[in-house]
Amino acid sequence: MAMRGLTVFIADIRNCRVRELEEKRINKEMANIRTKFKDGSLSGYDKKKYVCKLLYMYILGWDIDFGHMEAVNLISSPKYSEKQIGYLGITLLMHENSDLVRLVVNSIRKDLDDNNEIHNCLALHAIANIGGREMAESLASDVHRLLVSPNSKSFVKKKAALTMLRLFRKHPDVIPAPDWAERITNIIDDYDLGVCLSVTSLVTALAQQYPEAFMLAIPKAIMRLHKVIVERDFSADYVYYKIPIPWLQVKLLRLLQYFPPTEDPNMSEMLHNVLQTIINNSQETPRNVQHNNAQNAILFEAINLAIHLDCESDIVRQATNILARFILSKETNVRYLGLETMAHLAAVTDELDEIKKHEETIILSLRDKDISVRRRGLDLLYSMCDVSNAKTIVSELIRYLHIADYALREEMVLKIAIMTEKYATEHSWYVDVILQLISSAGDHVGEEVWYRVVQIVTNHENLQEYSAKMVLHYMRSPHCHENMLKVGGYILGEYGHLIANLPGASPIEQFNTLHARFGLCSLATRALLLSTYIKFINLFPEIKGAILAVFNQYRHVLDAELQQRACEYMAIATMPTDDLLQTVCEEMPQFPERESALLSRLNEKTGQTEDKRTWNIGGKDSNEKTPANLLAAKERNENGSVDDLANSVSNTSISAAGGENGAAAPANGSPAPPTPAAPTAKTGLTWKDQLAPGYENWYNRLRDGADGILYEDSILQIGIKSEYHGHLGRLAIYFGNKTHTQLNSFAVSVESPEGLVVANSHTLATSIGPSTQIQQLYSLECQQIVTEVPLIRISYQAGSTQSIYLKLPVLMSRFIEPIQLSSADFFARWKQIGGAPREVQEIIKVPGRIELERARTILVNHRLGICENVDPKPGNFVATGVFNTSLSGKVGCLLRLEPNHESNMYRLTVRTTSDVVSKHLKEILHTALLSKPAPSTR
């Protein structure tokens, strides 16, 4: 039903010819609405009408400071028209930090729980538009429920996915993405392609933050692409100019670039068929512009994926020929994408010959009428540069630098400097190019460029004389830039004596050349030149008088920095002896080798979009830390670092300590390995706060070395068996289904602390039949000192998705090998290790009476060798062992356990060659001695 009052009000506003009349009408209407709201007896229709008027005023730009509560009240109305205006009101009048947001949370949750899909959608719109932290924390789980519910309609799922995406981008820490990964990823298989499209956008964003949790998306994305592109299985509603749902194809191809190539041969073959089909479909150029745009969008993303998977493949070779055609296209967009994709290929491949064939065309793109095409041409030249073509590319870029856009010049200077340094075959060429660069584009040369020149010249003795000669030449130019003076001041101050005998480079001529521009420089440059002058006094005493006159003049300037330098340098230069002067002005030592600051500066200038880049501009070394490469490296490390235990178990006979540094030493007296470094700081395991209730009862039974049941409830029983040798271990975990129905979507994942590698031996079955059992084998490798135990997550479908989080009893003591020492050897090594911090001691009062046999069992279970008849007092325990790591060496462990039967106390003293191991081993034994004996769970 039309609201006549609103229509009349809008007509009145439109009829106002001047702002004063409009303001008068607005104020009159506001006063009327305030009066109506104060009465409190308005119907839902009237509230809706007046809120609409307020919203119209707000859209016109007037401030609205009342009516918010009426909009909130309309949300609770059962009528759709009133609820709709209420939601429109809060999304326009409220922001994420508004105090009234918490008032609408319960109403929004009620609409999310409603069976009316329209109400669900209105609530989702409000969440996405306001999107505050409080709303995200309160309602994220409700949005997720709507997304994964099999009862939700397709259009609700689409809105829920996009709302979740909005919340994640706004507050990523609020969304427990790893826990929801499996169910969200499964929706990619949804029959509705619109739902699949929305969820793919969500998964793409989540996978960039949590790539390991969303590895399940790889096969699902490949199968969906295969259905759409190869099998032609899609709804006619989603065909856009003869192309089936191009937006989904592009997003799925993009998603796969965030993961390393799949190792499943079936998936690899399907993906190859998909990419080959796309390449084949692009051989003919459609006449229709929209058809052509859609086809090219898919083609370019497919080429990027093919390059990501294998830049030497046959598909990439075919794509290279297509790209060569595109960079000559008359269409600006096609040229742009062709150059960008070719830059991607140049950035990751070792074979640049095919790209170099088009070098002239690429150089011509620098003069394209569109600046975005010029940028991509610059990126491609930078990526394809190597030793063979560096001089050509650099000379062309310097020639173009004089006419380049100001927006491009700083980036061009950085790239020229990096290419010159990286691919210079002659030191003189490097110096010539950099000085020419500073001379011709000084305003765009950042501090990083001339800093780098100074570092390289200082570190290469054969460059110093040539650099001093050339920089003096450039400083005599009538248009010498201030950055050139900075370089000249440093180089001449250090190496000016190398050219002092050359014509035109005498000491006084060097000084006059610098000082001629002294008054025109900034204060920072003047300060640098004063330092150069004091070095001149040390190098060239014959010009001391001229320089002292400068120091004397600048002792009285207003700038504190210049005044201080002049006074101090004057004092040093006029001392009776030159000892201090020579000490202060000693030649600069070489700079330590480090990564060029130019690369960091260039990376800062590379704009980052909402999605992370899947590749970086530059050579192959610039792409070693892309998201997919980092994930692949991590997988290789986890899967390849643990060898077959049967072949790698070695006998160790390592004693506790030896040598001056107290490092662990073999019993035969051979040199001691270095003491392992303490593990680096880590934020901690993310599942710590989600452990299953009551897990401690089961975990404590197995903590001291026994095998048995780790967890049991009415559905699942989990048991473990283990064995350890040196720094390696093997863990078998058994999962038993206690019910008479099958458990589906069964998945297990392990989160290990830093320094401990946990690798599974095979892919676990995804279901457990009724009353049956499956097992998973894990190989363990202790690489560094580990102070935390790994956590395991078990999830399965039993009506709804169930998740169980548990601790695995893989303590640091599992990697100790027991050894035996004589009394003399034990106390000799005990003294060598010394006291704190490598010694820790604690008095432990046990509940109940002391049981010596139980104490002995605890030490043995923690893999410590008990040395008999070592301690002079009978009843005291002496134990030794060696803690093993694969990367940080071995740690000798010695301990004494002294019982006091009268007071029911133990005195535990632990000495090891690592203070971290001492502290943690003491905590492990302290907990074990205080615990009550547990019944067997075998």
Side-chain angles (χ1 to χ4, degrees):
M1 183 174 65
M3 290 178 282
R4 186 172 178 276
L6 175 63
T7 306
V8 171
F9 173 65
I10 292 174
D12 290 347
I13 295 297
R14 287 180 174 176
N15 291 331
C16 295
R17 297 183 178 228
V18 293
R19 178 175 174 80
E20 289 76 11
L21 293 176
E22 179 182 319
E23 184 176 1
K24 183 178 180 180
R25 181 68 181 90
I26 291 287
N27 291 336
K28 178 182 177 182
E29 192 62 37
M30 280 190 177
N32 178 53
I33 295 173
R34 285 181 192 272
T35 304
K36 296 293 184 181
F37 282 166
K38 285 180 181 179
D39 291 344
S41 58
L42 293 176
S43 64
Y45 169 80
D46 290 331
K47 283 183 183 178
K48 177 180 70 172
K49 178 177 66 176
Y50 292 131
V51 169
C52 283
K53 289 183 179 181
L54 290 176
L55 294 179
Y56 182 69
M57 297 179 210
Y58 177 80
I59 292 171
L60 289 177
W62 297 94
D63 292 331
I64 305 299
D65 56 359
F66 69 99
H68 300 72
M69 287 305 301
E70 281 67 25
V72 172
N73 293 335
L74 283 175
I75 294 176
S76 305
S77 172
K79 293 184 179 179
Y80 168 73
S81 60
E82 295 174 8
K83 186 182 289 289
Q84 181 190 34
I85 297 301
Y87 273 115
L88 180 61
I90 66 168
T91 54
L92 285 176
L93 300 178
M94 292 185 189
H95 53 81
E96 60 179 279
N97 298 319
S98 174
D99 295 333
L100 296 176
V101 167
R102 58 175 59 91
L103 298 179
V104 302
V105 168
N106 288 333
S107 298
I108 292 176
R109 180 181 286 114
K110 184 178 178 182
D111 284 334
L112 290 175
D113 294 338
D114 201 331
N115 292 326
N116 188 321
E117 293 85 1
I118 302 299
H119 294 175
N120 296 159
C121 293
L122 289 173
L124 291 170
H125 284 168
I127 296 170
N129 278 284
I130 299 174
R133 172 171 287 275
E134 185 174 353
M135 190 171 281
E137 291 174 347
S138 303
L139 300 174
S141 57
D142 297 284
V143 176
H144 172 256
R145 177 181 50 78
L146 280 179
L147 174 61
V148 301
S149 172
N151 300 322
S152 296
K153 295 290 180 66
S154 294
F155 63 90
V156 176
K157 287 185 177 181
K158 286 190 280 188
K159 294 180 186 298
L162 297 177
T163 302
M164 184 73 72
L165 176 60
R166 158 73 170 164
L167 293 180
F168 176 74
R169 285 178 172 169
K170 192 77 175 174
H171 307 288
D173 55 309
V174 173
I175 308 299
D179 299 337
W180 295 349
E182 184 178 353
R183 298 199 70 180
I184 291 176
T185 306
N186 288 336
I187 308 176
I188 294 178
D189 294 333
D190 197 280
Y191 70 91
D192 189 293
L193 291 176
V195 173
C196 180
L197 176 61
S198 300
V199 170
T200 301
S201 299
L202 173 61
V203 171
T204 301
L206 297 175
Q208 294 171 51
Q209 191 85 3
Y210 307 100
E212 294 175 75
F214 285 87
M215 292 288 282
L216 291 170
I218 298 176
K220 295 188 179 297
I222 294 173
M223 288 189 285
R224 175 61 85 174
L225 283 169
H226 194 269
K227 281 185 179 180
V228 173
I229 297 173
V230 179
E231 300 176 8
R232 310 290 292 175
D233 180 10
F234 51 83
S235 169
D237 297 335
Y238 290 96
V239 176
Y240 176 82
Y241 288 93
K242 301 181 182 180
I243 303 291
I245 194 162
W247 311 278
L248 177 60
Q249 293 188 48
V250 169
K251 286 182 180 291
L252 289 174
L253 292 167
R254 179 78 173 176
L255 171 62
L256 291 172
Q257 294 175 51
Y258 290 105
F259 300 102
T262 178
E263 296 179 359
D264 186 334
N266 294 328
M267 290 293 109
S268 296
E269 184 179 357
M270 289 176 66
L271 187 54
H272 179 272
N273 292 338
V274 167
L275 296 175
Q276 189 62 60
T277 303
I278 294 174
I279 296 291
N280 294 340
N281 292 341
S282 65
Q283 297 302 321
E284 296 182 4
T285 303
R287 293 183 178 180
N288 186 282
V289 176
Q290 284 81 3
H291 185 185
N292 190 30
N293 287 342
Q295 180 175 289
N296 285 342
I298 297 168
L299 174 62
F300 281 115
E301 210 61 63
I303 295 174
N304 280 320
L305 177 57
I307 294 170
H308 168 74
L309 296 175
D310 181 8
C311 58
E312 308 297 335
S313 66
D314 182 60
I315 290 179
V316 173
R317 281 191 287 274
Q318 297 176 51
T320 305
N321 297 327
I322 296 174
L323 294 176
R325 189 175 76 239
F326 282 160
I327 63 176
L328 292 170
S329 173
K330 294 181 180 180
E331 294 184 36
T332 302
N333 289 339
V334 175
R335 288 199 309 278
Y336 174 93
L337 291 170
L339 290 167
E340 182 179 49
T341 309
M342 195 173 279
H344 181 190
L345 176 59
V348 298
T349 186
D350 292 322
E351 296 295 331
L352 294 168
D353 293 340
E354 289 296 320
I355 300 175
K356 289 178 183 177
K357 293 178 181 178
H358 313 288
E359 188 172 304
E360 291 184 10
T361 304
I362 298 166
I363 290 174
L364 285 175
S365 68
L366 292 175
R367 289 165 172 77
D368 195 278
K369 60 183 179 181
D370 191 295
I371 188 173
S372 60
V373 175
R374 296 197 292 272
R375 283 187 185 277
R376 297 292 79 82
L378 175 62
D379 291 342
L380 177 49
L381 288 171
Y382 176 66
S383 296
M384 66 184 282
C385 184
D386 61 13
V387 176
S388 65
N389 60 5
K391 289 189 176 181
T392 304
I393 291 177
V394 167
S395 62
E396 286 291 340
L397 289 179
I398 289 178
R399 190 179 300 118
Y400 173 64
L401 186 60
H402 298 286
I403 59 172
D405 303 80
Y406 279 94
L408 274 178
R409 288 191 183 183
E410 185 178 353
E411 184 179 346
M412 286 185 69
V413 167
L414 285 172
K415 289 180 175 176
I416 291 171
I418 293 169
M419 286 187 289
T420 306
E421 177 186 344
K422 194 173 182 180
Y423 302 113
T425 55
E426 303 167 4
H427 288 133
S428 58
W429 178 70
Y430 170 78
V431 172
D432 291 341
V433 170
I434 296 298
L435 293 182
Q436 185 180 353
L437 198 61
I438 295 173
S439 177
S440 59
D443 290 335
H444 304 281
V445 175
E447 298 286 307
E448 300 86 359
V449 176
W450 79 265
Y451 288 169
R452 189 62 178 169
V453 176
V454 164
Q455 290 176 21
I456 292 174
V457 171
T458 303
N459 289 2
H460 294 81
E461 189 174 344
N462 56 347
L463 265 181
Q464 292 164 1
E465 181 179 348
Y466 183 78
S467 301
K469 182 171 64 175
M470 292 307 298
V471 79
L472 183 61
H473 168 73
Y474 275 101
M475 282 195 301
R476 286 173 173 161
S477 167
H479 303 293
C480 176
H481 194 273
E482 186 171 333
N483 282 334
M484 185 67 74
L485 278 180
K486 293 177 183 178
V487 177
Y490 181 92
I491 292 178
L492 292 180
E494 291 293 329
Y495 313 114
H497 62 284
L498 299 177
I499 61 171
N501 296 326
L502 298 179
S506 65
I508 192 63
E509 288 175 307
Q510 292 184 36
F511 170 71
N512 289 337
T513 302
L514 283 172
H515 198 60
R517 302 181 185 277
F518 189 90
L520 304 175
C521 300
S522 65
L523 295 177
T525 305
R526 291 186 202 178
L528 185 151
L529 291 180
L530 288 178
S531 298
T532 301
Y533 294 166
I534 191 66
K535 294 178 183 179
F536 275 177
I537 292 179
N538 182 50
L539 294 174
F540 314 121
E542 63 269 27
I543 62 171
K544 181 176 179 179
I547 296 175
L548 287 179
V550 176
F551 287 159
N552 188 53
Q553 177 186 354
Y554 276 85
R555 284 194 304 164
H556 308 290
V557 296
L558 294 177
D559 184 75
E561 175 70 18
L562 292 180
Q563 186 185 90
Q564 182 177 356
R565 289 194 184 213
C567 290
E568 291 177 356
Y569 294 160
M570 186 77 171
I572 293 173
T574 55
M575 284 183 173
T577 64
D578 292 340
D579 294 343
L580 181 59
L581 175 65
Q582 292 174 4
T583 302
V584 170
C585 298
E586 284 183 354
E587 186 173 325
M588 281 288 290
Q590 290 192 355
F591 290 91
E593 289 298 329
R594 56 193 173 200
E595 182 183 355
S596 172
L598 301 179
L599 290 171
S600 304
R601 175 66 175 160
L602 182 61
N603 292 336
E604 288 175 8
K605 293 187 68 63
T606 303
Q608 187 61 271
T609 59
E610 193 72 51
D611 290 333
K612 293 180 181 178
R613 291 184 65 92
T614 57
W615 61 280
N616 298 318
I617 298 167
K620 195 169 183 178
D621 53 344
S622 302
N623 286 273
E624 293 176 353
K625 295 185 179 181
T626 58
N629 285 344
L630 290 175
L631 182 58
K634 185 175 182 181
E635 285 186 344
R636 286 195 299 270
N637 182 50
E638 291 178 351
N639 294 331
S641 58
V642 182
D643 299 325
D644 184 20
L645 287 176
N647 298 326
S648 58
V649 174
S650 58
N651 296 322
T652 36
S653 56
I654 308 298
S655 64
E660 294 179 358
N661 60 0
N668 59 12
S670 58
T675 301
T680 54
K682 192 175 179 184
T683 55
L685 301 175
T686 57
W687 297 342
K688 274 185 176 179
D689 302 328
Q690 306 176 54
L691 296 171
Y695 81 93
E696 302 96 337
N697 297 331
W698 307 98
Y699 173 77
N700 291 341
R701 293 176 182 177
L702 307 183
R703 183 187 53 214
D704 296 335
D707 294 334
I709 297 174
L710 179 64
Y711 178 80
E712 186 172 12
D713 58 20
S714 59
I715 299 175
L716 198 64
Q717 183 185 67
I718 304 170
I720 64 169
K721 288 185 179 181
S722 60
E723 60 175 337
Y724 297 88
H725 301 280
H727 66 275
L728 300 173
R730 179 182 291 167
L731 192 67
I733 307 182
Y734 302 87
F735 306 95
N737 181 3
K738 297 171 62 176
T739 68
H740 299 292
T741 58
Q742 179 168 295
L743 300 181
N744 294 317
S745 300
F746 191 82
V748 176
S749 53
V750 174
E751 184 182 31
S752 59
E754 186 172 358
L756 179 66
V757 175
V758 182
N760 56 338
S761 59
H762 63 276
T763 303
L764 191 66
T766 57
S767 62
I768 309 179
S771 303
T772 59
Q773 176 180 278
I774 62 173
Q775 74 166 8
Q776 176 71 299
L777 293 176
Y778 291 96
S779 297
L780 311 173
E781 180 185 10
C782 183
Q783 295 183 335
Q784 299 175 1
I785 298 173
V786 179
T787 58
E788 292 185 289
V789 298
L791 307 178
I792 186 171
R793 173 181 180 265
I794 304 101
S795 63
Y796 57 88
Q797 196 83 19
S800 61
T801 299
Q802 309 289 329
S803 294
I804 302 169
Y805 297 86
L806 303 169
K807 284 185 177 181
L808 289 176
V810 182
L811 285 78
M812 184 190 75
S813 58
R814 297 289 191 272
F815 301 100
I816 293 177
E817 287 291 323
I819 59 173
Q820 293 293 322
L821 293 177
S822 66
S823 178
D825 288 340
F826 176 83
F827 285 107
R829 287 164 174 74
W830 183 267
K831 291 178 182 178
Q832 285 175 348
I833 294 177
R838 293 179 176 179
E839 178 190 270
V840 291
Q841 189 178 87
E842 186 169 0
I843 305 298
I844 305 170
K845 183 172 180 58
V846 298
R849 299 182 60 81
I850 284 180
E851 300 177 21
L852 296 182
E853 279 306 311
R854 180 166 179 270
R856 176 185 292 272
T857 303
I858 287 173
L859 295 178
V860 171
N861 285 345
H862 286 283
R863 302 178 61 80
L864 292 161
I866 296 179
C867 303
E868 305 290 352
N869 303 319
V870 170
D871 197 290
K873 184 177 179 181
N876 288 356
F877 293 100
V878 171
T880 57
V882 175
F883 172 64
N884 298 274
T885 68
S886 61
L887 299 182
S888 300
K890 303 187 179 187
V891 178
C893 304
L894 309 177
L895 70 85
R896 299 175 69 185
L897 183 66
E898 304 167 80
N900 186 328
H901 293 274
E902 295 177 359
S903 57
N904 292 327
M905 292 182 180
Y906 289 106
R907 181 167 68 182
L908 174 64
T909 308
V910 179
R911 289 188 182 184
T912 76
T913 54
S914 166
D915 54 333
V916 177
V917 173
S918 299
K919 181 180 178 182
H920 194 59
L921 183 58
K922 184 265 296 181
E923 291 173 354
I924 291 173
L925 296 175
H926 174 267
T927 304
L929 290 168
L930 284 180
S931 63
K932 296 180 180 180
S936 175
T937 60
R938 293 181 185 271

